[in-house]
Amino acid sequence: MNTEIECPGDADDEGPAAEPDQEQLRARTTRRLERSMGSLGTAAVARMEERLGWFRRMSAQDRSWIGLVAQSGVAAFVDWFRNPVRGRPAITVEVFGTAPRELTRSVSLQQTVDMIRVVIDVVEGQVDDLAAPGGVQQLREDILRYTREVAFSSAKVYARAAEARGAWDARLEALVVDALLHGDHEDGLQTWGSALGWTHTPVIAVAGSAGHENGGKVLDDLRAAARRMSHDVLAGMQGDRAVVVVGVGDRYRPEELPTAAAEPLTGLFGPGPVVVGPAVPDLRAAGASARAAISGLRAAVAWPDAPRPVLAEDLLPERALQGDSEARKQLVEEIYRPLLGAGSPLLDTLSVYLEHASSLEATARMLFVHPNTVRYRLSRIAELTGRTPSDGRGSFVLRVAVALGRMTEAEES
C-alpha cells in the first residue's frame, strides 16, 4: 500500500527524510515561486533598464505597462507550474491581456523577443534558489516549455494586430481611391495618406482590368510590386477595374514619368489596356490622375493598337469623343488655341492639309504657296502642338482638336 509522506511547515527548505515524488517537488517549488514573484518581476524590469536601450527611451506609461506584462508573465507561469495538467497555457490572455492593445504599436515584435529573453535570463539565473531540493531539473524544463509558449503567443499577438491593421488599411485605401475618383473629401486626403504612411511625391495613377483573377489577389500583387520598388501605393477596385495610385519619389527623371514608373506594374493587371494618368505633385491632386486613367481605360477600346501601358494624355481624342470634358478642354487649350494664336496661316494650312489626304502638293495648290512653305508651316504646327500632321496618329489628334476648338468657339460666340 502506497503512503504519502507528509512534509509539515516549510519542509522544502530543509529537505524531506525520504525522496519526494514529482508532485511534492512541484508543490514545494510552487511555494518558493509564489514568495519570489514580486522580486522576480522587479528584477526583470531592472535588467531591461540596464540592457535594453529602447526600453529606457520609452515613456514612463509604456514602461509601466511593460512592467505589468513582466509581472503577469511570472504570475501566469507560477499558476501554470502549479497545475501543468491543464495543458497548453493561455499565454495571450493571461500575459498580454494586462496591457492595452496600443502597446503593440510602441513595442515591435523584435523588442518583445528581447524583453522575453531578459525575463528568461532573470528567472533562469535564480533557478537553483527557486527550486526545491531535487526540483531544479523539473523547473528548468517547465521554464523552457513556458517560454516557448510565450514566444509563440507573442507572434500571434503581433500577427493578429498586423491582420487587423491590414484589414483597416485595405478599407481606408478603398475609401481614398473612391474619393480620388469622385473628387470628394479632398481636404482629408493628406490626413488619410499620412495614416497609411504616405510620404512620396510625385504621384501617378494606373488603371487596368483585374481580368478573371480574384480582385483582391491582383491588388495584393500590385501593392507588393510597388513596395518592392520603394513606392507608396494605394489600390482599390472599381467594378472589374483595378486602380493603383503610386507615390514614386525622386527615382525617375521628369521626362521618364509616368511611363517608366508604371511599366513594372503592367504585367500584373489582367488582359487589355493599362492606362497611366499624368504625374501630379501630391496626393491631394491625385484625383485628376486617377480620373484620367479611368477615362482612358474606358476609351482605349477605340485604339486597338495603343501601347501597353498607354498614357491617358495619348488617349485625349478617344476620351473627348466619349464625352470626357477634361479631355476636350485639354485638346482645345493645348492644340487649338496655340494654333489660333499663331495666326490663320497655320490653322488654315492644317485644315487644308488634313482635308486633302495629307498631300503637300494638293495643299500648296489650294493655298497658292510653294510646297516648302507648307513643309515649314507643318513643322511649326508640330513644334507648337507636339503632334506631327504627317503621322497617322498625330493627324487624328489634330483633326479632333481642331473640330472641338471650332465647336467651342461657336458655343462661346
Side-chain angles (χ1 to χ4, degrees):
M1 176 177 179
N2 293 331
T3 59
E4 185 176 7
I5 299 175
E6 295 294 329
C7 299
D10 286 338
D12 55 302
D13 294 329
E14 301 174 357
E19 185 71 21
D21 62 21
Q22 293 298 310
E23 291 186 6
Q24 290 175 325
L25 280 176
R26 185 175 297 278
R28 294 173 184 176
T29 298
T30 298
R31 289 195 292 273
R32 290 185 174 219
L33 289 170
E34 289 173 340
R35 293 196 296 266
S36 303
M37 283 194 301
S39 61
L40 285 173
T42 302
V45 173
R47 188 70 63 84
M48 282 188 275
E49 287 271 9
E50 174 187 338
R51 290 173 50 178
L52 304 178
W54 59 264
F55 181 76
R56 292 193 297 272
R57 292 189 294 271
M58 295 185 76
S59 68
Q61 183 181 27
D62 283 346
R63 288 200 304 273
S64 174
W65 280 119
I66 289 179
L68 285 177
V69 170
Q71 293 279 5
S72 297
V74 173
F77 168 70
V78 174
D79 183 60
W80 174 78
F81 182 84
R82 180 186 295 111
N83 185 22
V85 296
R86 290 183 306 163
R88 191 170 187 170
I91 306 295
T92 302
V93 175
E94 295 179 5
V95 179
F96 296 100
T98 61
R101 185 172 299 177
E102 290 78 7
L103 191 62
T104 59
R105 298 183 181 179
S106 301
V107 182
S108 69
L109 179 57
Q110 181 59 53
Q111 289 171 339
T112 302
V113 171
D114 293 339
M115 180 178 69
I116 293 170
R117 186 177 291 115
V118 168
V119 176
I120 293 171
D121 289 345
V122 168
V123 176
E124 286 188 332
Q126 301 185 37
V127 165
D128 292 339
D129 296 327
L130 293 171
V136 172
Q137 184 62 29
Q138 180 188 63
L139 181 57
R140 287 190 186 278
E141 290 177 356
D142 281 357
I143 287 174
L144 289 175
R145 288 177 59 195
Y146 192 81
T147 52
R148 181 189 63 186
E149 297 299 336
V150 169
F152 288 155
S153 294
S154 300
K156 286 182 178 180
V157 167
Y158 281 86
R160 280 198 295 269
E163 183 177 354
R165 173 71 183 184
W168 165 252
D169 285 354
R171 289 193 292 271
L172 184 55
E173 281 189 36
L175 176 64
V176 173
V177 171
D178 186 70
L180 290 172
L181 289 173
H182 293 90
D184 299 330
H185 309 294
E186 290 187 355
D187 292 339
L189 287 175
Q190 292 296 114
T191 301
W192 294 343
S194 297
L196 292 166
W198 189 282
T199 59
H200 291 159
T201 56
V203 178
I204 63 168
V206 188
S209 168
H212 300 296
E213 296 287 339
N214 178 279
K217 180 181 183 304
V218 172
L219 294 185
D220 288 343
D221 291 344
L222 288 166
R223 289 190 191 100
R227 286 168 182 156
R228 281 196 298 271
M229 295 183 288
S230 301
H231 296 334
D232 289 333
V233 59
L234 302 172
M237 294 295 298
Q238 292 290 315
D240 61 350
R241 298 185 293 265
V243 183
V244 184
V245 181
V246 182
V248 299
D250 57 0
R251 63 181 298 177
Y252 300 104
R253 294 192 299 272
E255 61 270 18
E256 294 178 329
L257 278 172
T259 305
E263 281 180 345
L265 305 176
T266 301
L268 300 174
F269 287 93
V274 174
V275 182
V276 189
V280 293
D282 54 35
L283 187 59
R284 185 188 296 272
S289 183
R291 290 190 292 273
I294 288 293
S295 173
L297 188 61
R298 290 195 296 262
V301 65
W303 187 14
D305 295 328
R308 192 174 190 263
V310 59
L311 299 179
E313 291 191 346
D314 289 341
L315 286 161
L316 285 175
E318 286 83 3
R319 291 166 53 196
L321 290 172
Q322 198 176 53
D324 185 335
S325 60
E326 288 297 321
R328 174 174 175 161
K329 179 180 178 181
Q330 193 171 343
L331 284 170
V332 173
E333 295 298 327
E334 295 182 2
I335 295 178
Y336 181 76
R337 295 206 185 280
L339 290 175
L340 186 63
S344 58
L346 289 188
L347 195 55
D348 291 342
T349 299
L350 176 61
S351 299
V352 174
Y353 181 76
L354 294 175
E355 291 297 330
H356 288 78
S358 301
S359 168
L360 283 172
E361 291 75 13
T363 303
R365 285 196 301 270
M366 289 297 299
L367 295 174
F368 302 103
V369 297
H370 194 278
N372 286 341
T373 301
V374 175
R375 288 191 180 94
Y376 170 76
R377 291 177 180 176
L378 294 178
S379 66
R380 285 285 295 133
I381 291 169
E383 290 174 6
L384 283 172
T385 65
R387 312 288 179 170
T388 304
S390 60
D391 173 73
R393 180 67 187 174
S395 66
F396 172 65
V397 175
L398 290 166
R399 182 184 293 272
V400 173
V402 170
L404 290 172
R406 287 173 174 158
M407 286 189 289
T408 300
E409 278 197 325
E411 292 169 0
E412 293 174 351
S413 61

PDB file of all heavy atoms in Angstrom, residues 130-159:
ATOM      1  N   LEU A 130      15.276  29.054  -6.517  1.00  0.00           N
ATOM      2  CA  LEU A 130      13.822  28.974  -6.578  1.00  0.00           C
ATOM      3  C   LEU A 130      13.310  27.550  -6.438  1.00  0.00           C
ATOM      4  O   LEU A 130      12.229  27.324  -5.884  1.00  0.00           O
ATOM      5  CB  LEU A 130      13.324  29.560  -7.906  1.00  0.00           C
ATOM      6  CG  LEU A 130      13.509  31.064  -8.105  1.00  0.00           C
ATOM      7  CD1 LEU A 130      13.176  31.443  -9.543  1.00  0.00           C
ATOM      8  CD2 LEU A 130      12.632  31.854  -7.136  1.00  0.00           C
ATOM      9  N   ALA A 131      14.041  26.604  -6.978  1.00  0.00           N
ATOM     10  CA  ALA A 131      13.572  25.218  -6.981  1.00  0.00           C
ATOM     11  C   ALA A 131      13.793  24.579  -5.612  1.00  0.00           C
ATOM     12  O   ALA A 131      14.782  24.851  -4.920  1.00  0.00           O
ATOM     13  CB  ALA A 131      14.284  24.419  -8.054  1.00  0.00           C
ATOM     14  N   ALA A 132      12.849  23.722  -5.211  1.00  0.00           N
ATOM     15  CA  ALA A 132      13.030  22.922  -4.012  1.00  0.00           C
ATOM     16  C   ALA A 132      14.166  21.927  -4.238  1.00  0.00           C
ATOM     17  O   ALA A 132      14.472  21.588  -5.397  1.00  0.00           O
ATOM     18  CB  ALA A 132      11.729  22.193  -3.688  1.00  0.00           C
ATOM     19  N   PRO A 133      14.815  21.484  -3.188  1.00  0.00           N
ATOM     20  CA  PRO A 133      15.885  20.488  -3.366  1.00  0.00           C
ATOM     21  C   PRO A 133      15.394  19.298  -4.196  1.00  0.00           C
ATOM     22  O   PRO A 133      14.351  18.717  -3.913  1.00  0.00           O
ATOM     23  CB  PRO A 133      16.214  20.079  -1.924  1.00  0.00           C
ATOM     24  CG  PRO A 133      15.854  21.288  -1.118  1.00  0.00           C
ATOM     25  CD  PRO A 133      14.645  21.862  -1.775  1.00  0.00           C
ATOM     26  N   GLY A 134      16.140  19.009  -5.268  1.00  0.00           N
ATOM     27  CA  GLY A 134      15.758  17.918  -6.162  1.00  0.00           C
ATOM     28  C   GLY A 134      14.845  18.341  -7.289  1.00  0.00           C
ATOM     29  O   GLY A 134      14.531  17.535  -8.169  1.00  0.00           O
ATOM     30  N   GLY A 135      14.387  19.586  -7.293  1.00  0.00           N
ATOM     31  CA  GLY A 135      13.431  20.029  -8.305  1.00  0.00           C
ATOM     32  C   GLY A 135      14.010  20.956  -9.356  1.00  0.00           C
ATOM     33  O   GLY A 135      13.256  21.554 -10.135  1.00  0.00           O
ATOM     34  N   VAL A 136      15.332  21.096  -9.395  1.00  0.00           N
ATOM     35  CA  VAL A 136      15.951  22.026 -10.339  1.00  0.00           C
ATOM     36  C   VAL A 136      15.666  21.628 -11.783  1.00  0.00           C
ATOM     37  O   VAL A 136      15.268  22.456 -12.617  1.00  0.00           O
ATOM     38  CB  VAL A 136      17.469  22.127 -10.091  1.00  0.00           C
ATOM     39  CG1 VAL A 136      18.144  22.935 -11.199  1.00  0.00           C
ATOM     40  CG2 VAL A 136      17.741  22.764  -8.743  1.00  0.00           C
ATOM     41  N   GLN A 137      15.857  20.355 -12.110  1.00  0.00           N
ATOM     42  CA  GLN A 137      15.657  19.905 -13.482  1.00  0.00           C
ATOM     43  C   GLN A 137      14.205  20.080 -13.914  1.00  0.00           C
ATOM     44  O   GLN A 137      13.912  20.510 -15.042  1.00  0.00           O
ATOM     45  CB  GLN A 137      16.073  18.433 -13.610  1.00  0.00           C
ATOM     46  CG  GLN A 137      15.997  17.878 -15.030  1.00  0.00           C
ATOM     47  CD  GLN A 137      16.943  18.597 -15.982  1.00  0.00           C
ATOM     48  OE1 GLN A 137      18.000  19.105 -15.573  1.00  0.00           O
ATOM     49  NE2 GLN A 137      16.586  18.654 -17.259  1.00  0.00           N
ATOM     50  N   GLN A 138      13.295  19.756 -12.995  1.00  0.00           N
ATOM     51  CA  GLN A 138      11.872  19.911 -13.306  1.00  0.00           C
ATOM     52  C   GLN A 138      11.535  21.374 -13.616  1.00  0.00           C
ATOM     53  O   GLN A 138      10.833  21.678 -14.591  1.00  0.00           O
ATOM     54  CB  GLN A 138      11.051  19.423 -12.107  1.00  0.00           C
ATOM     55  CG  GLN A 138       9.544  19.527 -12.301  1.00  0.00           C
ATOM     56  CD  GLN A 138       8.807  19.203 -11.013  1.00  0.00           C
ATOM     57  OE1 GLN A 138       8.956  19.914 -10.018  1.00  0.00           O
ATOM     58  NE2 GLN A 138       8.036  18.110 -11.035  1.00  0.00           N
ATOM     59  N   LEU A 139      12.067  22.290 -12.797  1.00  0.00           N
ATOM     60  CA  LEU A 139      11.777  23.711 -13.006  1.00  0.00           C
ATOM     61  C   LEU A 139      12.393  24.218 -14.310  1.00  0.00           C
ATOM     62  O   LEU A 139      11.763  24.972 -15.051  1.00  0.00           O
ATOM     63  CB  LEU A 139      12.301  24.527 -11.824  1.00  0.00           C
ATOM     64  CG  LEU A 139      12.051  26.038 -11.887  1.00  0.00           C
ATOM     65  CD1 LEU A 139      10.565  26.337 -12.018  1.00  0.00           C
ATOM     66  CD2 LEU A 139      12.638  26.723 -10.657  1.00  0.00           C
ATOM     67  N   ARG A 140      13.608  23.789 -14.606  1.00  0.00           N
ATOM     68  CA  ARG A 140      14.250  24.228 -15.856  1.00  0.00           C
ATOM     69  C   ARG A 140      13.442  23.784 -17.073  1.00  0.00           C
ATOM     70  O   ARG A 140      13.235  24.540 -18.024  1.00  0.00           O
ATOM     71  CB  ARG A 140      15.665  23.674 -15.950  1.00  0.00           C
ATOM     72  CG  ARG A 140      16.666  24.337 -15.023  1.00  0.00           C
ATOM     73  CD  ARG A 140      18.087  23.904 -15.365  1.00  0.00           C
ATOM     74  NE  ARG A 140      19.034  24.412 -14.399  1.00  0.00           N
ATOM     75  CZ  ARG A 140      19.529  25.648 -14.424  1.00  0.00           C
ATOM     76  NH1 ARG A 140      19.131  26.496 -15.363  1.00  0.00           N
ATOM     77  NH2 ARG A 140      20.391  26.048 -13.507  1.00  0.00           N
ATOM     78  N   GLU A 141      12.989  22.537 -17.064  1.00  0.00           N
ATOM     79  CA  GLU A 141      12.235  22.021 -18.200  1.00  0.00           C
ATOM     80  C   GLU A 141      10.917  22.778 -18.381  1.00  0.00           C
ATOM     81  O   GLU A 141      10.522  23.110 -19.509  1.00  0.00           O
ATOM     82  CB  GLU A 141      11.967  20.525 -18.003  1.00  0.00           C
ATOM     83  CG  GLU A 141      13.224  19.662 -18.135  1.00  0.00           C
ATOM     84  CD  GLU A 141      12.932  18.203 -17.864  1.00  0.00           C
ATOM     85  OE1 GLU A 141      11.764  17.883 -17.505  1.00  0.00           O
ATOM     86  OE2 GLU A 141      13.874  17.386 -17.994  1.00  0.00           O
ATOM     87  N   ASP A 142      10.238  23.075 -17.278  1.00  0.00           N
ATOM     88  CA  ASP A 142       8.969  23.788 -17.387  1.00  0.00           C
ATOM     89  C   ASP A 142       9.170  25.240 -17.806  1.00  0.00           C
ATOM     90  O   ASP A 142       8.319  25.819 -18.500  1.00  0.00           O
ATOM     91  CB  ASP A 142       8.214  23.720 -16.062  1.00  0.00           C
ATOM     92  CG  ASP A 142       7.515  22.373 -15.883  1.00  0.00           C
ATOM     93  OD1 ASP A 142       7.589  21.550 -16.814  1.00  0.00           O
ATOM     94  OD2 ASP A 142       6.910  22.146 -14.823  1.00  0.00           O
ATOM     95  N   ILE A 143      10.275  25.844 -17.387  1.00  0.00           N
ATOM     96  CA  ILE A 143      10.575  27.204 -17.856  1.00  0.00           C
ATOM     97  C   ILE A 143      10.763  27.208 -19.362  1.00  0.00           C
ATOM     98  O   ILE A 143      10.257  28.095 -20.072  1.00  0.00           O
ATOM     99  CB  ILE A 143      11.831  27.762 -17.139  1.00  0.00           C
ATOM    100  CG1 ILE A 143      11.506  28.105 -15.695  1.00  0.00           C
ATOM    101  CG2 ILE A 143      12.355  29.008 -17.866  1.00  0.00           C
ATOM    102  CD1 ILE A 143      12.716  28.516 -14.882  1.00  0.00           C
ATOM    103  N   LEU A 144      11.461  26.214 -19.882  1.00  0.00           N
ATOM    104  CA  LEU A 144      11.660  26.133 -21.328  1.00  0.00           C
ATOM    105  C   LEU A 144      10.343  25.961 -22.061  1.00  0.00           C
ATOM    106  O   LEU A 144      10.091  26.589 -23.097  1.00  0.00           O
ATOM    107  CB  LEU A 144      12.608  24.970 -21.661  1.00  0.00           C
ATOM    108  CG  LEU A 144      14.078  25.165 -21.285  1.00  0.00           C
ATOM    109  CD1 LEU A 144      14.870  23.904 -21.558  1.00  0.00           C
ATOM    110  CD2 LEU A 144      14.671  26.333 -22.071  1.00  0.00           C
ATOM    111  N   ARG A 145       9.487  25.088 -21.532  1.00  0.00           N
ATOM    112  CA  ARG A 145       8.183  24.899 -22.161  1.00  0.00           C
ATOM    113  C   ARG A 145       7.365  26.179 -22.141  1.00  0.00           C
ATOM    114  O   ARG A 145       6.763  26.569 -23.150  1.00  0.00           O
ATOM    115  CB  ARG A 145       7.403  23.791 -21.433  1.00  0.00           C
ATOM    116  CG  ARG A 145       7.910  22.394 -21.650  1.00  0.00           C
ATOM    117  CD  ARG A 145       7.100  21.415 -20.829  1.00  0.00           C
ATOM    118  NE  ARG A 145       5.676  21.475 -21.177  1.00  0.00           N
ATOM    119  CZ  ARG A 145       4.710  20.943 -20.421  1.00  0.00           C
ATOM    120  NH1 ARG A 145       5.009  20.337 -19.291  1.00  0.00           N
ATOM    121  NH2 ARG A 145       3.447  21.034 -20.804  1.00  0.00           N
ATOM    122  N   TYR A 146       7.359  26.841 -21.005  1.00  0.00           N
ATOM    123  CA  TYR A 146       6.535  28.034 -20.860  1.00  0.00           C
ATOM    124  C   TYR A 146       7.055  29.182 -21.724  1.00  0.00           C
ATOM    125  O   TYR A 146       6.269  29.878 -22.385  1.00  0.00           O
ATOM    126  CB  TYR A 146       6.507  28.453 -19.393  1.00  0.00           C
ATOM    127  CG  TYR A 146       5.462  29.505 -19.094  1.00  0.00           C
ATOM    128  CD1 TYR A 146       4.133  29.147 -18.900  1.00  0.00           C
ATOM    129  CD2 TYR A 146       5.804  30.852 -19.013  1.00  0.00           C
ATOM    130  CE1 TYR A 146       3.172  30.107 -18.635  1.00  0.00           C
ATOM    131  CE2 TYR A 146       4.839  31.810 -18.748  1.00  0.00           C
ATOM    132  CZ  TYR A 146       3.522  31.436 -18.552  1.00  0.00           C
ATOM    133  OH  TYR A 146       2.581  32.380 -18.291  1.00  0.00           O
ATOM    134  N   THR A 147       8.347  29.388 -21.736  1.00  0.00           N
ATOM    135  CA  THR A 147       8.890  30.494 -22.530  1.00  0.00           C
ATOM    136  C   THR A 147       8.702  30.250 -24.019  1.00  0.00           C
ATOM    137  O   THR A 147       8.533  31.195 -24.792  1.00  0.00           O
ATOM    138  CB  THR A 147      10.378  30.702 -22.230  1.00  0.00           C
ATOM    139  OG1 THR A 147      11.086  29.460 -22.376  1.00  0.00           O
ATOM    140  CG2 THR A 147      10.580  31.228 -20.829  1.00  0.00           C
ATOM    141  N   ARG A 148       8.708  28.997 -24.432  1.00  0.00           N
ATOM    142  CA  ARG A 148       8.406  28.700 -25.830  1.00  0.00           C
ATOM    143  C   ARG A 148       6.982  29.123 -26.167  1.00  0.00           C
ATOM    144  O   ARG A 148       6.720  29.719 -27.216  1.00  0.00           O
ATOM    145  CB  ARG A 148       8.576  27.198 -26.092  1.00  0.00           C
ATOM    146  CG  ARG A 148       8.298  26.795 -27.530  1.00  0.00           C
ATOM    147  CD  ARG A 148       8.274  25.288 -27.675  1.00  0.00           C
ATOM    148  NE  ARG A 148       7.200  24.695 -26.894  1.00  0.00           N
ATOM    149  CZ  ARG A 148       7.022  23.390 -26.739  1.00  0.00           C
ATOM    150  NH1 ARG A 148       7.876  22.540 -27.276  1.00  0.00           N
ATOM    151  NH2 ARG A 148       6.013  22.933 -26.010  1.00  0.00           N
ATOM    152  N   GLU A 149       6.036  28.843 -25.255  1.00  0.00           N
ATOM    153  CA  GLU A 149       4.655  29.245 -25.483  1.00  0.00           C
ATOM    154  C   GLU A 149       4.513  30.771 -25.494  1.00  0.00           C
ATOM    155  O   GLU A 149       3.727  31.328 -26.261  1.00  0.00           O
ATOM    156  CB  GLU A 149       3.740  28.646 -24.409  1.00  0.00           C
ATOM    157  CG  GLU A 149       3.682  27.131 -24.415  1.00  0.00           C
ATOM    158  CD  GLU A 149       3.151  26.585 -25.717  1.00  0.00           C
ATOM    159  OE1 GLU A 149       2.423  27.317 -26.424  1.00  0.00           O
ATOM    160  OE2 GLU A 149       3.464  25.430 -26.053  1.00  0.00           O
ATOM    161  N   VAL A 150       5.300  31.450 -24.626  1.00  0.00           N
ATOM    162  CA  VAL A 150       5.265  32.912 -24.625  1.00  0.00           C
ATOM    163  C   VAL A 150       5.720  33.443 -25.981  1.00  0.00           C
ATOM    164  O   VAL A 150       5.137  34.370 -26.540  1.00  0.00           O
ATOM    165  CB  VAL A 150       6.135  33.490 -23.496  1.00  0.00           C
ATOM    166  CG1 VAL A 150       6.303  34.999 -23.665  1.00  0.00           C
ATOM    167  CG2 VAL A 150       5.519  33.191 -22.142  1.00  0.00           C
ATOM    168  N   ALA A 151       6.796  32.850 -26.523  1.00  0.00           N
ATOM    169  CA  ALA A 151       7.301  33.295 -27.821  1.00  0.00           C
ATOM    170  C   ALA A 151       6.256  33.095 -28.912  1.00  0.00           C
ATOM    171  O   ALA A 151       6.017  33.986 -29.741  1.00  0.00           O
ATOM    172  CB  ALA A 151       8.584  32.546 -28.165  1.00  0.00           C
ATOM    173  N   PHE A 152       5.615  31.919 -28.921  1.00  0.00           N
ATOM    174  CA  PHE A 152       4.577  31.660 -29.921  1.00  0.00           C
ATOM    175  C   PHE A 152       3.410  32.627 -29.757  1.00  0.00           C
ATOM    176  O   PHE A 152       2.871  33.156 -30.735  1.00  0.00           O
ATOM    177  CB  PHE A 152       4.065  30.228 -29.805  1.00  0.00           C
ATOM    178  CG  PHE A 152       5.040  29.189 -30.287  1.00  0.00           C
ATOM    179  CD1 PHE A 152       4.984  27.888 -29.803  1.00  0.00           C
ATOM    180  CD2 PHE A 152       6.019  29.505 -31.208  1.00  0.00           C
ATOM    181  CE1 PHE A 152       5.877  26.925 -30.248  1.00  0.00           C
ATOM    182  CE2 PHE A 152       6.924  28.553 -31.655  1.00  0.00           C
ATOM    183  CZ  PHE A 152       6.846  27.256 -31.181  1.00  0.00           C
ATOM    184  N   SER A 153       3.010  32.873 -28.523  1.00  0.00           N
ATOM    185  CA  SER A 153       1.882  33.755 -28.278  1.00  0.00           C
ATOM    186  C   SER A 153       2.205  35.193 -28.662  1.00  0.00           C
ATOM    187  O   SER A 153       1.340  35.927 -29.136  1.00  0.00           O
ATOM    188  CB  SER A 153       1.477  33.685 -26.803  1.00  0.00           C
ATOM    189  OG  SER A 153       0.983  32.405 -26.490  1.00  0.00           O
ATOM    190  N   SER A 154       3.466  35.594 -28.437  1.00  0.00           N
ATOM    191  CA  SER A 154       3.877  36.936 -28.864  1.00  0.00           C
ATOM    192  C   SER A 154       3.681  37.091 -30.363  1.00  0.00           C
ATOM    193  O   SER A 154       3.152  38.108 -30.835  1.00  0.00           O
ATOM    194  CB  SER A 154       5.346  37.189 -28.508  1.00  0.00           C
ATOM    195  OG  SER A 154       5.557  37.096 -27.125  1.00  0.00           O
ATOM    196  N   ALA A 155       4.125  36.075 -31.097  1.00  0.00           N
ATOM    197  CA  ALA A 155       3.972  36.134 -32.551  1.00  0.00           C
ATOM    198  C   ALA A 155       2.494  36.215 -32.940  1.00  0.00           C
ATOM    199  O   ALA A 155       2.121  36.941 -33.862  1.00  0.00           O
ATOM    200  CB  ALA A 155       4.631  34.912 -33.188  1.00  0.00           C
ATOM    201  N   LYS A 156       1.631  35.490 -32.217  1.00  0.00           N
ATOM    202  CA  LYS A 156       0.203  35.526 -32.526  1.00  0.00           C
ATOM    203  C   LYS A 156      -0.392  36.909 -32.264  1.00  0.00           C
ATOM    204  O   LYS A 156      -1.208  37.408 -33.045  1.00  0.00           O
ATOM    205  CB  LYS A 156      -0.541  34.479 -31.688  1.00  0.00           C
ATOM    206  CG  LYS A 156      -0.325  33.048 -32.149  1.00  0.00           C
ATOM    207  CD  LYS A 156      -1.146  32.105 -31.297  1.00  0.00           C
ATOM    208  CE  LYS A 156      -0.981  30.660 -31.767  1.00  0.00           C
ATOM    209  NZ  LYS A 156      -1.785  29.729 -30.944  1.00  0.00           N
ATOM    210  N   VAL A 157       0.020  37.512 -31.134  1.00  0.00           N
ATOM    211  CA  VAL A 157      -0.491  38.847 -30.813  1.00  0.00           C
ATOM    212  C   VAL A 157      -0.155  39.820 -31.930  1.00  0.00           C
ATOM    213  O   VAL A 157      -1.005  40.580 -32.402  1.00  0.00           O
ATOM    214  CB  VAL A 157       0.101  39.346 -29.474  1.00  0.00           C
ATOM    215  CG1 VAL A 157      -0.172  40.841 -29.285  1.00  0.00           C
ATOM    216  CG2 VAL A 157      -0.483  38.553 -28.318  1.00  0.00           C
ATOM    217  N   TYR A 158       1.096  39.783 -32.376  1.00  0.00           N
ATOM    218  CA  TYR A 158       1.506  40.719 -33.421  1.00  0.00           C
ATOM    219  C   TYR A 158       0.905  40.357 -34.765  1.00  0.00           C
ATOM    220  O   TYR A 158       0.614  41.235 -35.579  1.00  0.00           O
ATOM    221  CB  TYR A 158       3.035  40.787 -33.498  1.00  0.00           C
ATOM    222  CG  TYR A 158       3.621  41.653 -32.411  1.00  0.00           C
ATOM    223  CD1 TYR A 158       3.894  41.122 -31.167  1.00  0.00           C
ATOM    224  CD2 TYR A 158       3.851  43.005 -32.614  1.00  0.00           C
ATOM    225  CE1 TYR A 158       4.405  41.912 -30.148  1.00  0.00           C
ATOM    226  CE2 TYR A 158       4.358  43.805 -31.611  1.00  0.00           C
ATOM    227  CZ  TYR A 158       4.638  43.252 -30.371  1.00  0.00           C
ATOM    228  OH  TYR A 158       5.127  44.047 -29.380  1.00  0.00           O
ATOM    229  N   ALA A 159       0.719  39.066 -35.012  1.00  0.00           N
ATOM    230  CA  ALA A 159       0.094  38.666 -36.280  1.00  0.00           C
ATOM    231  C   ALA A 159      -1.348  39.145 -36.335  1.00  0.00           C
ATOM    232  O   ALA A 159      -1.813  39.644 -37.364  1.00  0.00           O
ATOM    233  CB  ALA A 159       0.147  37.146 -36.435  1.00  0.00           C
TER     234      ALA A 159
END
